[in-house]
Amino acid sequence: MTVPRRTTLLLLPPLAVVLAACGDDQLSRCFESNASRYPFSLPGDTAAVFNWPAARQPVRVYAEPRLALPANVDTALGLWVNALRCGELSAQRVADSGQADIIVRNPDNLPPLAEGSITLAADSLNACRGRTDGELGPGDTLTGPLRSYIVPNTTDSTAMAACFRFVTAHEIGHALGLLQHSPWPDDLMYTQPRRRLLTLNDRYTVQTLYHRAATIAPPPR
């Protein structure tokens, strides 16, 4: 992926810790032990980090009412929200896409990349494919909702249904700020996910992300 050159960068300390709901004496309980973290910054720019700040929560997610997508989105949101041990993330599904921070659709084919947008992540399996897009504007601020797509890649309805479940969870992970893939095949955020449950590594990585100062701002409401 080619990341457009940006002229303005919010210079926040990349290792700053946001304690959020955890006090100093409780901080250790907010993280998994014996786990490894994979990268979550924007590919090509290790200083570019995104998460949804407390002021913009609950994160509002629209799921196109097609097939099992709403149920899959609910399950995916539950996985990621429950991975945060100290209440750092909340999300809700909304019925109006015009009010959403994240829009998840289930088209028959991946749409063309919109002008001015970048693909934050793309992945594929034999049964289905997923992609999450966003547009990064001046001041490293997203200019609109993140958009995730999960599309069929087979006529085998059983395989496709299973694939939709874990690829939806994978793409929601990207939309919540995990902008890279895990290098480990067992993780949900591996390039070609094969499971819908989070591993210790997935949980530890999102926990670390939500205790990191972001340099990419969410879109204005």
Side-chain angles (χ1 to χ4, degrees):
M1 174 184 110
T2 300
V3 178
R5 183 176 180 179
R6 298 184 289 277
T7 58
T8 304
L9 180 65
L10 302 180
L11 297 178
L12 297 177
L15 296 179
V17 173
V18 181
L19 294 182
C22 296
D24 290 338
D25 59 338
Q26 299 176 312
L27 187 59
S28 62
R29 75 178 179 87
C30 298
F31 298 94
E32 300 291 342
S33 58
N34 301 315
S36 298
R37 178 181 72 81
Y38 44 80
F40 49 64
S41 61
L42 192 68
D45 188 345
T46 58
V49 174
F50 174 72
N51 56 42
W52 291 96
R56 288 294 305 276
Q57 296 185 31
V59 182
R60 300 183 301 198
V61 183
Y62 171 80
E64 181 181 20
R66 187 180 186 197
L67 301 175
L69 186 60
N72 288 340
V73 167
D74 287 345
T75 298
L77 291 174
L79 288 173
W80 290 110
V81 168
N82 291 332
L84 277 298
R85 294 180 167 186
C86 296
E88 301 92 334
L89 177 64
S90 63
Q92 67 180 56
R93 192 156 57 81
V94 296
D96 182 359
S97 62
Q99 300 297 315
D101 302 307
I102 300 169
I103 296 174
V104 189
R105 296 195 182 278
N106 185 198
D108 292 328
N109 296 286
L110 284 173
L113 192 63
E115 183 177 357
S117 294
I118 58 172
T119 297
L120 298 179
D123 27 76
S124 63
L125 278 178
N126 291 332
C128 66
R129 294 173 291 161
R131 194 180 81 201
T132 296
D133 300 340
E135 183 177 346
L136 195 59
D140 276 8
T141 298
L142 293 169
T143 60
L146 294 171
R147 297 176 182 273
S148 294
Y149 305 98
I150 299 91
V151 303
N153 201 36
T154 182
T155 57
D156 184 332
S157 59
T158 300
M160 185 168 60
C163 187
F164 276 179
R165 286 193 290 272
F166 52 76
V167 171
T168 299
H170 178 106
E171 295 305 327
I172 291 291
H174 285 314
L176 293 176
L178 296 173
L179 305 183
Q180 292 198 47
H181 289 125
S182 168
W184 300 301
D186 286 342
D187 293 343
L188 175 65
M189 295 307 294
Y190 183 62
T191 307
Q192 295 180 313
R194 295 179 289 189
R195 54 182 291 159
R196 68 178 182 89
L197 297 179
L198 306 185
T199 64
L200 285 175
N201 296 337
D202 291 314
R203 293 197 292 270
Y204 181 61
T205 301
V206 76
Q207 291 160 2
T208 304
L209 170 62
Y210 274 81
H211 284 262
R212 183 68 57 88
T215 61
I216 297 173
R221 281 183 175 171

